[in-house]
Amino acid sequence: MSAPVCLPTWGHTWVDLPVLRLPMPDVDLISCESECFRTPIAITAPEDPVERAVHRWFLGHQGAFVVWKFLSDSLDRLIREPDSRSVGLAALGYDAYSVMLAYSGSCSREVYEDVIRPMMVTFDPAFSGRWARDYEPLPGKLRRARTALGPAAAEPLFSASKANQMAHIEVMRRLVPDGPSLLRESGRARMSTTDAERARFDEFFLVSRENVCDSRYRAHRTAILSAIGQDLVKHPLSPECGETLRTFTTRL
């Protein structure tokens, strides 16, 4: 069973999304062979274009939390037991993360500047993706996995991670072409990330850190990925995004 620790509520003033319950990055899900969690989790995208852009910002980031967990587990397996199938899965994880970046950042520059960026400033003037605790260990794990595999075997993984970096840069260039990040504007860019800031990142995106059973997590993961997939069918970004998401979903 899942034991609530702290339910974030701030984001509910902006979006109608359920709280995503996750363990800390170094904590396993609770084994749940009996499939104890059977409550349907419904996520629906709004029709209003601005509301949908805000919805995508939050839901796409929740999708990133899901992908980060998948990537962390995949890279751990590669470090322990390098093999070609695991390389493909980890590379697919980076491709899926690129989809989440494209989806969450699919708003216009005007909506970002007028609605989404002020939202983050209101929450915390220094708000930053650097505070994402689930992403923090991934670069180190990627380096260790590449060392374990060797350059040739790691090539698909390396290519996918580089493409992911370019996807991130592309979103930033489109949404913030001239100005500095909020973290840099705040003067806190040189400071180390604190646990309080990591908790703020969780709170903003409606993530609660808990002891979570496997069936609850899988149900919410399915709801998030299905909602994003349905939204992309109705309001597509590119054929590649939809295809990558479908492939990722079937490989989980």
Side-chain angles (χ1 to χ4, degrees):
M1 295 181 66
S2 302
V5 175
C6 179
L7 296 182
T9 58
W10 185 87
H12 282 307
T13 63
W14 299 97
V15 288
D16 181 20
L17 282 176
V19 171
L20 174 60
R21 292 164 166 82
L22 284 175
M24 286 293 185
D26 57 348
V27 176
D28 292 334
L29 295 166
I30 299 170
S31 179
C32 183
E33 295 180 1
S34 62
E35 300 291 330
C36 70
F37 187 81
R38 295 185 173 89
T39 305
I41 298 175
I43 300 174
T44 305
E47 289 298 324
D48 177 83
V50 175
E51 291 181 2
R52 186 169 64 249
V54 174
H55 171 88
R56 283 184 165 194
W57 185 257
F58 280 85
L59 182 60
H61 276 84
Q62 286 197 344
F65 280 89
V66 167
V67 174
W68 291 334
K69 177 167 177 50
F70 174 88
L71 269 173
S72 181
D73 293 343
S74 298
L75 292 172
D76 281 341
R77 282 194 296 271
L78 272 178
I79 292 166
R80 292 193 307 267
E81 299 178 13
D83 66 75
S84 58
R85 180 180 180 278
S86 295
V87 170
L89 282 175
L92 178 60
Y94 277 103
D95 291 340
Y97 182 26
S98 296
V99 173
M100 297 307 155
L101 288 169
Y103 179 79
S104 60
S106 59
C107 60
S108 67
R109 187 181 303 170
E110 291 73 22
V111 169
Y112 180 79
E113 291 178 347
D114 295 344
V115 181
I116 294 174
R117 189 176 174 97
M119 235 190 326
M120 294 187 290
V121 172
T122 299
F123 186 74
D124 192 304
F127 192 81
S128 173
R130 188 188 297 180
W131 299 351
R133 70 173 94 226
D134 302 78
Y135 181 81
E136 279 184 294
L138 295 184
K141 289 187 178 187
L142 176 61
R143 289 191 295 270
R144 291 168 61 197
R146 289 176 64 190
T147 299
L149 288 162
E155 177 55 31
L157 183 58
F158 176 74
S159 296
S161 67
K162 292 294 288 184
N164 175 254
Q165 290 175 12
M166 295 306 298
H168 195 183
I169 291 170
E170 173 59 28
V171 171
M172 293 300 295
R173 283 177 176 167
R174 189 169 59 79
L175 298 183
V176 194
D178 304 313
S181 67
L182 295 181
L183 186 63
R184 191 172 298 279
E185 282 184 342
S186 72
R188 289 158 55 183
R190 295 181 180 273
M191 300 178 184
S192 298
T193 303
T194 66
D195 283 341
E197 289 167 338
R198 295 179 181 98
R200 292 287 279 168
F201 190 86
D202 287 349
E203 182 183 0
F204 184 83
F205 288 115
L206 296 170
V207 173
S208 175
R209 298 295 170 170
E210 310 177 8
N211 297 320
V212 184
C213 70
D214 188 66
S215 64
R216 174 188 280 276
Y217 173 73
R218 289 202 313 271
H220 205 148
R221 181 182 66 187
T222 298
I224 289 171
L225 297 178
S226 296
I228 293 173
Q230 291 166 13
D231 189 19
L232 287 176
V233 168
K234 196 170 185 179
H235 305 282
L237 295 177
S238 71
E240 293 78 15
C241 281
E243 182 60 33
T244 296
L245 184 61
R246 284 190 294 272
T247 302
F248 178 71
T249 301
T250 60
R251 298 290 294 276
L252 290 172

